[in-house]
Amino acid sequence: MEFSGTVSIDGTTTEEVWLALSDPVMIKQALPGCQFLVECEDEDPDFDALAASAPEEDPPTLPEASAEDIAERAFEEGGHYAALMEISVGSVSPSFETVVTIEEREFPRMHAAGEGSASSSSFEMSSGMELAESEDGVDVEWWAEADVFGRVAQMGQRVINPVANRVVGRFFDQVEKQLQDVSTDSESSGGLRSRVSSLF
Amino acid sequence: MATDEREGGSDRIETVEADDVDAADILGSAIERQEDPSLLTGEAEYTDDIQLPEMTHMAMLRSQYAHARLADIDTSEAEEMEGVVAVFTAEDLDVSGALPVGWDLDSLRNVDNPIMVEDRIRYQGDVLALVVAEERYQAHDALDAVDVEYERLEAVTDPSDALAEDAPVIHEEEGTNEAFDWDIGDADDTEAALEAADNVVELDVTNQLLIPNAIEPRAVVADYDPSDDLLDVQMTTQNPHVHRLLMAGVIDHPEHRMRVRAPDVGGGFGSKIHHYADEALVSWAAKQVERPVKWQATRTESYLTDAQGRGHETHGEIAVDDDGTIRGLYVDTKANLGAYLSTFSPSIPTYLYGTLLSGQYEIDNIYCEVTGAYTNVVPVDAYRGAGRPEASFIIERLVNRAADAVDMDPAEIRKKNFLDPDDFPYETPVAMEYDSGDYHKTLERAMEAVGYDEFRERQEQAREEGRYLGIGFSCYIEACGIAPSELVGELGAGAGLWESGLVRFTPSGTVRAMSGSSGHGQGHDTTFSQILANELGVDYDDIEVVEGDTDAIPQGMGTYGSRSAAVGGSALVESARKVVEKARKIAAHQLEADPEDVEFEAGEFQVAGAPDRSTSIQDVSLEAYLAHDIPDDMEPGLEATTFYDPSNFVFPFGTHVAVVEVDPDTGEVAFEDYVAVDDVGNQINPKIVEGQIHGGIAQGVGQALFEGAEYDDNGQLVTGSMQDYAVPKSFHVPEMETESTVTPSPENPLGVKGVGEAGTIAAPQAIVNAVVDALEPLGVDHIEMPLTNERVWRAAGGGDD
């Protein structure tokens, strides 16, 4: 299955969006159904252990967090990340134990590949995004290629496509909302945007 | 063979109550189906309605992947869950557990077909583990707790792809996905005929995979009594005796200590013929837990496991001279068999397909090659029509193409090449001997009903107005009541294709009849009662027909291939006649007459020329059981059993015509008319015949316009529910005008042929021919089924820019 789209986020810069989308904590918060998202050592982590050690409260994200903190925990090219994703598809709500590898990460482009498995379903995906400046802000061009297996796949594209669109839609809505908070905040404090820019 | 015509066939047939029909007219009357009240009120008992004390429920874990290695499976968490009675994997199986295939071919690469997989997963329906629990939901919940580690492998779903050099091999020990290589007809003569002809027209078609969609998904309830080693299985089956025989071998249980019963069964269309892993596992599990076990497939589960139909990729070439004479036909088919061989799957794309390629035509040279391919889809086997729709589709599309090539009217080219009534019996170049037929008559009746000449004028006019009307013919032949047993044995069948029928009078003069046919919606209770009322002269209501119970019925081969009336009905006729002969002797003895002087009519024995010396067969029945005064050399009782083995297939035929209007801007296909003129031989109950034709056409409309099992590149079924697999709704099915001609079959005592599959065989190519005809001005010469709006729109040039 292939999905793609362009999301426009107004009143922000490519650097800010890049920074936000580099932050595993913010991604975790923006992804609907994401229980945790942490870096892991290899592609076969112990999810029970990760779930037990995941912090109960997320550290602050933008605008409270410092850009340096985010840069510190930002996704790294070649890094592996483990996430537990609960997604409702039709009548089932599988929890996907997901491992994502960042295959390419070079401003303004990111490319990741991953696999998720639940008791009755699984998926394999490859996805990417590229940021471009637009008149009003930033256009995020994204694409994903996914192979879906098992019970979820049997529900067919008529069920899966709306779910995928809903997940992606909510994700970018949330990112946009957080970035607007950042802009509002940086307008009042006047400092963040320049601090962000200085990181590039 | 003379042909009678039934008048007024185009009007809907009105049903009558049996009481209102004269005894002499019972055969051939549209008696109300006695089955319907219980089906309509919900009184009918389906497998899932059965409740037994201490009954458990079973669910099966199937594969996430269509092709994978099963690296590890851990059931420990599932075993601990509330309500779980037992969890089993292949490791626990202590029986042979390999599903047999009931048809052999010389080149067949038969492969192991295990009821639970230990190592290699070849399609999504493969069973990895099963859970028996107190409640159904507990069994299903526990499946989610089974931890499976897979190593996914590349999958292949199309037969041509599977036969390519670099395809992933599904059965590694075979080293190839080629399941068989079969041919029929003369290759050299056909090649020469194609070279010599004025024109050769080619066509490549995909006859898509279809999901059977019986209204009741498959289900099993098994109960094992360890004290006497009796295994009692109630299940959705079209052939309980065949299931008993096959399952006995799979789970190593003695056949004589097994009872298989079919409760009310909600349709099958072939999908309930085959022996699946599921019923073997339910029965085996019942023996393990020593409690009754029930399994009911969900709709998606049946989509993942019910043997699918069709699945052909075919290249056809037809040779036609400029005057329209068809000189030869060459057909090369790649047939999708799915992951394993299903019960009768090798026969479907071979003997039930290649042998029908002569259609209604005199074609001197035919050659057909079929390559069977293993793929990672659900095993493919008989589905309503089974091989014959695929044959009829390619012929009828090619004949239309041939007509285009020589600029001839599609009806005229058919008439020019039809076999004539005096050509019968006719032996085709593909090994069939047609018994009878009058193909001109059905085509002409259909042309008249549809107003053909007037239609062409209307079509011309409509085109000028920018509207696209089209007409499509389908002149089909089918072969059903497949027989005789000796012949099918020579062709590779692992079974005989006779049928048993037992007719038993009770002492009080009523009748219980047992048939090895096993109806599942066809109305056998009604039609068989009509047959027996006619033969025995007893009241229709005094007859009870019993089917679907291996304990009650001597033996049986079941209901499929439109065989029940021709073979099962004939067995009952023969038994009834044996009973009458015995009763005649008793009557003669009591009337003190020579049996040869005792006439039998309408249930009464009467000494010829002496009307006062008579007795009824029902009174004779009491005498037969009292046995106080019967002939000296005679055993008491009044019953007879027949194993009827027909001498040949029967050959229904007919013409279907679809008239459509196509909107090239939207791709929508609207029916303007649909005419079916079928000749299914003598009709036992015209209302049931009509219903079978209607239902068959509905399924043919489904294949033509809507249905198709779609798999993605990984072999995942993406049409896994009715949300994505489009079964036609009532508003999709056209109003139909049905008519009949009657050419009785000379092969059986009833003169019947078969009607169950006719509509499904005939309809698809009538519709495709009509749509292509409609879009001919736009240069359209073929569209693949299903003719979705998008495909039609694209074919008509939509999206070109």
PDB file of all heavy atoms in Angstrom, chain B residues 135-160:
ATOM      1  N   GLU B 135     -16.076 -21.289  26.037  1.00  0.00           N
ATOM      2  CA  GLU B 135     -16.914 -20.371  25.268  1.00  0.00           C
ATOM      3  C   GLU B 135     -16.188 -19.967  23.995  1.00  0.00           C
ATOM      4  O   GLU B 135     -14.961 -19.938  23.953  1.00  0.00           O
ATOM      5  CB  GLU B 135     -17.223 -19.100  26.098  1.00  0.00           C
ATOM      6  CG  GLU B 135     -17.932 -19.371  27.402  1.00  0.00           C
ATOM      7  CD  GLU B 135     -19.350 -19.909  27.213  1.00  0.00           C
ATOM      8  OE1 GLU B 135     -19.921 -19.734  26.109  1.00  0.00           O
ATOM      9  OE2 GLU B 135     -19.870 -20.502  28.177  1.00  0.00           O
ATOM     10  N   ARG B 136     -16.960 -19.587  22.998  1.00  0.00           N
ATOM     11  CA  ARG B 136     -16.349 -19.244  21.713  1.00  0.00           C
ATOM     12  C   ARG B 136     -15.401 -18.048  21.847  1.00  0.00           C
ATOM     13  O   ARG B 136     -14.317 -18.053  21.301  1.00  0.00           O
ATOM     14  CB  ARG B 136     -17.457 -18.945  20.704  1.00  0.00           C
ATOM     15  CG  ARG B 136     -16.934 -18.674  19.306  1.00  0.00           C
ATOM     16  CD  ARG B 136     -18.073 -18.532  18.326  1.00  0.00           C
ATOM     17  NE  ARG B 136     -18.754 -19.799  18.111  1.00  0.00           N
ATOM     18  CZ  ARG B 136     -19.947 -19.917  17.542  1.00  0.00           C
ATOM     19  NH1 ARG B 136     -20.581 -18.860  17.119  1.00  0.00           N
ATOM     20  NH2 ARG B 136     -20.505 -21.096  17.391  1.00  0.00           N
ATOM     21  N   TYR B 137     -15.833 -17.033  22.589  1.00  0.00           N
ATOM     22  CA  TYR B 137     -14.984 -15.842  22.666  1.00  0.00           C
ATOM     23  C   TYR B 137     -13.668 -16.149  23.377  1.00  0.00           C
ATOM     24  O   TYR B 137     -12.628 -15.584  23.054  1.00  0.00           O
ATOM     25  CB  TYR B 137     -15.725 -14.678  23.345  1.00  0.00           C
ATOM     26  CG  TYR B 137     -15.851 -14.781  24.850  1.00  0.00           C
ATOM     27  CD1 TYR B 137     -14.875 -14.232  25.676  1.00  0.00           C
ATOM     28  CD2 TYR B 137     -16.949 -15.417  25.449  1.00  0.00           C
ATOM     29  CE1 TYR B 137     -14.974 -14.322  27.063  1.00  0.00           C
ATOM     30  CE2 TYR B 137     -17.060 -15.526  26.814  1.00  0.00           C
ATOM     31  CZ  TYR B 137     -16.072 -14.973  27.619  1.00  0.00           C
ATOM     32  OH  TYR B 137     -16.168 -15.070  28.980  1.00  0.00           O
ATOM     33  N   GLN B 138     -13.734 -17.094  24.324  1.00  0.00           N
ATOM     34  CA  GLN B 138     -12.499 -17.440  25.019  1.00  0.00           C
ATOM     35  C   GLN B 138     -11.519 -18.130  24.069  1.00  0.00           C
ATOM     36  O   GLN B 138     -10.312 -17.904  24.129  1.00  0.00           O
ATOM     37  CB  GLN B 138     -12.814 -18.368  26.206  1.00  0.00           C
ATOM     38  CG  GLN B 138     -13.572 -17.646  27.311  1.00  0.00           C
ATOM     39  CD  GLN B 138     -14.123 -18.606  28.379  1.00  0.00           C
ATOM     40  OE1 GLN B 138     -14.434 -19.768  28.094  1.00  0.00           O
ATOM     41  NE2 GLN B 138     -14.220 -18.111  29.611  1.00  0.00           N
ATOM     42  N   ALA B 139     -12.048 -18.949  23.203  1.00  0.00           N
ATOM     43  CA  ALA B 139     -11.175 -19.624  22.223  1.00  0.00           C
ATOM     44  C   ALA B 139     -10.525 -18.590  21.304  1.00  0.00           C
ATOM     45  O   ALA B 139      -9.331 -18.640  21.026  1.00  0.00           O
ATOM     46  CB  ALA B 139     -11.977 -20.642  21.419  1.00  0.00           C
ATOM     47  N   HIS B 140     -11.339 -17.617  20.852  1.00  0.00           N
ATOM     48  CA  HIS B 140     -10.791 -16.599  19.948  1.00  0.00           C
ATOM     49  C   HIS B 140      -9.800 -15.687  20.665  1.00  0.00           C
ATOM     50  O   HIS B 140      -8.758 -15.334  20.117  1.00  0.00           O
ATOM     51  CB  HIS B 140     -11.923 -15.795  19.306  1.00  0.00           C
ATOM     52  CG  HIS B 140     -12.584 -16.526  18.173  1.00  0.00           C
ATOM     53  ND1 HIS B 140     -12.142 -16.442  16.877  1.00  0.00           N
ATOM     54  CD2 HIS B 140     -13.627 -17.397  18.160  1.00  0.00           C
ATOM     55  CE1 HIS B 140     -12.894 -17.222  16.101  1.00  0.00           C
ATOM     56  NE2 HIS B 140     -13.812 -17.801  16.862  1.00  0.00           N
ATOM     57  N   ASP B 141     -10.128 -15.324  21.918  1.00  0.00           N
ATOM     58  CA  ASP B 141      -9.197 -14.470  22.668  1.00  0.00           C
ATOM     59  C   ASP B 141      -7.865 -15.176  22.858  1.00  0.00           C
ATOM     60  O   ASP B 141      -6.796 -14.562  22.790  1.00  0.00           O
ATOM     61  CB  ASP B 141      -9.784 -14.106  24.042  1.00  0.00           C
ATOM     62  CG  ASP B 141     -10.853 -13.024  23.924  1.00  0.00           C
ATOM     63  OD1 ASP B 141     -11.027 -12.492  22.803  1.00  0.00           O
ATOM     64  OD2 ASP B 141     -11.509 -12.725  24.943  1.00  0.00           O
ATOM     65  N   ALA B 142      -7.927 -16.478  23.122  1.00  0.00           N
ATOM     66  CA  ALA B 142      -6.693 -17.221  23.385  1.00  0.00           C
ATOM     67  C   ALA B 142      -5.804 -17.296  22.142  1.00  0.00           C
ATOM     68  O   ALA B 142      -4.582 -17.371  22.258  1.00  0.00           O
ATOM     69  CB  ALA B 142      -7.020 -18.624  23.895  1.00  0.00           C
ATOM     70  N   LEU B 143      -6.420 -17.259  20.976  1.00  0.00           N
ATOM     71  CA  LEU B 143      -5.598 -17.280  19.752  1.00  0.00           C
ATOM     72  C   LEU B 143      -4.620 -16.114  19.737  1.00  0.00           C
ATOM     73  O   LEU B 143      -3.486 -16.243  19.289  1.00  0.00           O
ATOM     74  CB  LEU B 143      -6.481 -17.175  18.501  1.00  0.00           C
ATOM     75  CG  LEU B 143      -7.386 -18.335  18.147  1.00  0.00           C
ATOM     76  CD1 LEU B 143      -8.041 -18.059  16.796  1.00  0.00           C
ATOM     77  CD2 LEU B 143      -6.619 -19.649  18.098  1.00  0.00           C
ATOM     78  N   ASP B 144      -5.099 -14.968  20.235  1.00  0.00           N
ATOM     79  CA  ASP B 144      -4.249 -13.778  20.214  1.00  0.00           C
ATOM     80  C   ASP B 144      -3.062 -13.918  21.162  1.00  0.00           C
ATOM     81  O   ASP B 144      -2.090 -13.170  21.045  1.00  0.00           O
ATOM     82  CB  ASP B 144      -5.064 -12.528  20.577  1.00  0.00           C
ATOM     83  CG  ASP B 144      -5.995 -12.114  19.453  1.00  0.00           C
ATOM     84  OD1 ASP B 144      -5.804 -12.613  18.317  1.00  0.00           O
ATOM     85  OD2 ASP B 144      -6.912 -11.313  19.699  1.00  0.00           O
ATOM     86  N   ALA B 145      -3.158 -14.841  22.104  1.00  0.00           N
ATOM     87  CA  ALA B 145      -2.063 -15.013  23.070  1.00  0.00           C
ATOM     88  C   ALA B 145      -1.040 -16.052  22.613  1.00  0.00           C
ATOM     89  O   ALA B 145      -0.046 -16.286  23.286  1.00  0.00           O
ATOM     90  CB  ALA B 145      -2.641 -15.421  24.430  1.00  0.00           C
ATOM     91  N   VAL B 146      -1.302 -16.688  21.478  1.00  0.00           N
ATOM     92  CA  VAL B 146      -0.304 -17.639  20.949  1.00  0.00           C
ATOM     93  C   VAL B 146       0.797 -16.822  20.280  1.00  0.00           C
ATOM     94  O   VAL B 146       0.527 -15.952  19.453  1.00  0.00           O
ATOM     95  CB  VAL B 146      -0.944 -18.615  19.941  1.00  0.00           C
ATOM     96  CG1 VAL B 146       0.118 -19.524  19.335  1.00  0.00           C
ATOM     97  CG2 VAL B 146      -2.039 -19.428  20.616  1.00  0.00           C
ATOM     98  N   ASP B 147       2.023 -17.090  20.698  1.00  0.00           N
ATOM     99  CA  ASP B 147       3.147 -16.318  20.206  1.00  0.00           C
ATOM    100  C   ASP B 147       3.804 -17.061  19.047  1.00  0.00           C
ATOM    101  O   ASP B 147       4.277 -18.183  19.218  1.00  0.00           O
ATOM    102  CB  ASP B 147       4.140 -16.137  21.372  1.00  0.00           C
ATOM    103  CG  ASP B 147       5.081 -14.980  21.109  1.00  0.00           C
ATOM    104  OD1 ASP B 147       4.870 -14.271  20.105  1.00  0.00           O
ATOM    105  OD2 ASP B 147       6.026 -14.813  21.900  1.00  0.00           O
ATOM    106  N   VAL B 148       3.788 -16.468  17.881  1.00  0.00           N
ATOM    107  CA  VAL B 148       4.328 -17.141  16.692  1.00  0.00           C
ATOM    108  C   VAL B 148       5.499 -16.346  16.148  1.00  0.00           C
ATOM    109  O   VAL B 148       5.426 -15.126  16.030  1.00  0.00           O
ATOM    110  CB  VAL B 148       3.251 -17.258  15.591  1.00  0.00           C
ATOM    111  CG1 VAL B 148       3.805 -18.043  14.395  1.00  0.00           C
ATOM    112  CG2 VAL B 148       2.002 -17.915  16.128  1.00  0.00           C
ATOM    113  N   GLU B 149       6.561 -17.047  15.843  1.00  0.00           N
ATOM    114  CA  GLU B 149       7.682 -16.405  15.175  1.00  0.00           C
ATOM    115  C   GLU B 149       7.735 -16.910  13.740  1.00  0.00           C
ATOM    116  O   GLU B 149       7.818 -18.115  13.505  1.00  0.00           O
ATOM    117  CB  GLU B 149       8.964 -16.788  15.907  1.00  0.00           C
ATOM    118  CG  GLU B 149      10.030 -15.737  15.820  1.00  0.00           C
ATOM    119  CD  GLU B 149      11.249 -16.174  16.620  1.00  0.00           C
ATOM    120  OE1 GLU B 149      11.146 -16.290  17.865  1.00  0.00           O
ATOM    121  OE2 GLU B 149      12.268 -16.440  15.980  1.00  0.00           O
ATOM    122  N   TYR B 150       7.626 -15.972  12.823  1.00  0.00           N
ATOM    123  CA  TYR B 150       7.617 -16.336  11.406  1.00  0.00           C
ATOM    124  C   TYR B 150       8.921 -15.905  10.744  1.00  0.00           C
ATOM    125  O   TYR B 150       9.526 -14.908  11.139  1.00  0.00           O
ATOM    126  CB  TYR B 150       6.516 -15.577  10.669  1.00  0.00           C
ATOM    127  CG  TYR B 150       5.098 -15.788  11.118  1.00  0.00           C
ATOM    128  CD1 TYR B 150       4.516 -14.951  12.074  1.00  0.00           C
ATOM    129  CD2 TYR B 150       4.303 -16.770  10.534  1.00  0.00           C
ATOM    130  CE1 TYR B 150       3.191 -15.099  12.447  1.00  0.00           C
ATOM    131  CE2 TYR B 150       2.971 -16.921  10.901  1.00  0.00           C
ATOM    132  CZ  TYR B 150       2.420 -16.075  11.858  1.00  0.00           C
ATOM    133  OH  TYR B 150       1.105 -16.211  12.215  1.00  0.00           O
ATOM    134  N   GLU B 151       9.300 -16.607   9.721  1.00  0.00           N
ATOM    135  CA  GLU B 151      10.296 -16.077   8.778  1.00  0.00           C
ATOM    136  C   GLU B 151       9.576 -15.944   7.460  1.00  0.00           C
ATOM    137  O   GLU B 151       9.286 -16.935   6.793  1.00  0.00           O
ATOM    138  CB  GLU B 151      11.482 -17.042   8.642  1.00  0.00           C
ATOM    139  CG  GLU B 151      12.375 -17.062   9.862  1.00  0.00           C
ATOM    140  CD  GLU B 151      13.333 -18.248   9.841  1.00  0.00           C
ATOM    141  OE1 GLU B 151      13.543 -18.844   8.760  1.00  0.00           O
ATOM    142  OE2 GLU B 151      13.845 -18.592  10.917  1.00  0.00           O
ATOM    143  N   ARG B 152       9.295 -14.707   7.124  1.00  0.00           N
ATOM    144  CA  ARG B 152       8.472 -14.487   5.943  1.00  0.00           C
ATOM    145  C   ARG B 152       9.232 -14.802   4.672  1.00  0.00           C
ATOM    146  O   ARG B 152      10.409 -14.497   4.551  1.00  0.00           O
ATOM    147  CB  ARG B 152       7.996 -13.030   5.915  1.00  0.00           C
ATOM    148  CG  ARG B 152       7.033 -12.733   4.802  1.00  0.00           C
ATOM    149  CD  ARG B 152       6.318 -11.429   5.057  1.00  0.00           C
ATOM    150  NE  ARG B 152       7.101 -10.259   4.686  1.00  0.00           N
ATOM    151  CZ  ARG B 152       7.235  -9.824   3.435  1.00  0.00           C
ATOM    152  NH1 ARG B 152       6.670 -10.488   2.442  1.00  0.00           N
ATOM    153  NH2 ARG B 152       7.935  -8.744   3.178  1.00  0.00           N
ATOM    154  N   LEU B 153       8.524 -15.391   3.701  1.00  0.00           N
ATOM    155  CA  LEU B 153       9.113 -15.705   2.399  1.00  0.00           C
ATOM    156  C   LEU B 153       8.359 -14.948   1.313  1.00  0.00           C
ATOM    157  O   LEU B 153       7.219 -14.530   1.504  1.00  0.00           O
ATOM    158  CB  LEU B 153       8.998 -17.216   2.134  1.00  0.00           C
ATOM    159  CG  LEU B 153       9.692 -18.129   3.154  1.00  0.00           C
ATOM    160  CD1 LEU B 153       9.272 -19.581   2.933  1.00  0.00           C
ATOM    161  CD2 LEU B 153      11.197 -17.993   3.057  1.00  0.00           C
ATOM    162  N   GLU B 154       9.001 -14.778   0.188  1.00  0.00           N
ATOM    163  CA  GLU B 154       8.346 -14.137  -0.947  1.00  0.00           C
ATOM    164  C   GLU B 154       7.153 -14.986  -1.378  1.00  0.00           C
ATOM    165  O   GLU B 154       7.219 -16.212  -1.370  1.00  0.00           O
ATOM    166  CB  GLU B 154       9.318 -14.001  -2.119  1.00  0.00           C
ATOM    167  CG  GLU B 154      10.403 -12.962  -1.901  1.00  0.00           C
ATOM    168  CD  GLU B 154       9.828 -11.579  -1.666  1.00  0.00           C
ATOM    169  OE1 GLU B 154       9.018 -11.120  -2.493  1.00  0.00           O
ATOM    170  OE2 GLU B 154      10.166 -10.965  -0.621  1.00  0.00           O
ATOM    171  N   ALA B 155       6.093 -14.322  -1.759  1.00  0.00           N
ATOM    172  CA  ALA B 155       4.875 -15.037  -2.137  1.00  0.00           C
ATOM    173  C   ALA B 155       4.601 -14.845  -3.625  1.00  0.00           C
ATOM    174  O   ALA B 155       5.101 -13.901  -4.248  1.00  0.00           O
ATOM    175  CB  ALA B 155       3.701 -14.524  -1.323  1.00  0.00           C
ATOM    176  N   VAL B 156       3.804 -15.744  -4.173  1.00  0.00           N
ATOM    177  CA  VAL B 156       3.388 -15.609  -5.571  1.00  0.00           C
ATOM    178  C   VAL B 156       1.916 -16.007  -5.652  1.00  0.00           C
ATOM    179  O   VAL B 156       1.486 -16.965  -5.008  1.00  0.00           O
ATOM    180  CB  VAL B 156       4.295 -16.455  -6.496  1.00  0.00           C
ATOM    181  CG1 VAL B 156       4.213 -17.944  -6.169  1.00  0.00           C
ATOM    182  CG2 VAL B 156       3.968 -16.207  -7.962  1.00  0.00           C
ATOM    183  N   THR B 157       1.133 -15.237  -6.389  1.00  0.00           N
ATOM    184  CA  THR B 157      -0.316 -15.476  -6.382  1.00  0.00           C
ATOM    185  C   THR B 157      -0.904 -15.751  -7.769  1.00  0.00           C
ATOM    186  O   THR B 157      -1.990 -16.295  -7.865  1.00  0.00           O
ATOM    187  CB  THR B 157      -1.066 -14.271  -5.774  1.00  0.00           C
ATOM    188  OG1 THR B 157      -0.748 -13.110  -6.534  1.00  0.00           O
ATOM    189  CG2 THR B 157      -0.646 -14.053  -4.331  1.00  0.00           C
ATOM    190  N   ASP B 158      -0.221 -15.339  -8.820  1.00  0.00           N
ATOM    191  CA  ASP B 158      -0.755 -15.574 -10.175  1.00  0.00           C
ATOM    192  C   ASP B 158      -0.113 -16.811 -10.781  1.00  0.00           C
ATOM    193  O   ASP B 158       1.085 -17.021 -10.623  1.00  0.00           O
ATOM    194  CB  ASP B 158      -0.445 -14.386 -11.099  1.00  0.00           C
ATOM    195  CG  ASP B 158      -1.228 -13.162 -10.706  1.00  0.00           C
ATOM    196  OD1 ASP B 158      -2.341 -13.330 -10.168  1.00  0.00           O
ATOM    197  OD2 ASP B 158      -0.724 -12.050 -10.911  1.00  0.00           O
ATOM    198  N   PRO B 159      -0.889 -17.611 -11.520  1.00  0.00           N
ATOM    199  CA  PRO B 159      -0.299 -18.839 -12.072  1.00  0.00           C
ATOM    200  C   PRO B 159       0.866 -18.578 -13.021  1.00  0.00           C
ATOM    201  O   PRO B 159       1.866 -19.295 -12.970  1.00  0.00           O
ATOM    202  CB  PRO B 159      -1.479 -19.514 -12.780  1.00  0.00           C
ATOM    203  CG  PRO B 159      -2.570 -18.509 -12.864  1.00  0.00           C
ATOM    204  CD  PRO B 159      -2.330 -17.505 -11.791  1.00  0.00           C
ATOM    205  N   SER B 160       0.758 -17.556 -13.870  1.00  0.00           N
ATOM    206  CA  SER B 160       1.865 -17.293 -14.804  1.00  0.00           C
ATOM    207  C   SER B 160       3.128 -16.908 -14.051  1.00  0.00           C
ATOM    208  O   SER B 160       4.225 -17.363 -14.388  1.00  0.00           O
ATOM    209  CB  SER B 160       1.501 -16.176 -15.780  1.00  0.00           C
ATOM    210  OG  SER B 160       0.407 -16.558 -16.549  1.00  0.00           O
TER     211      SER B 160
END
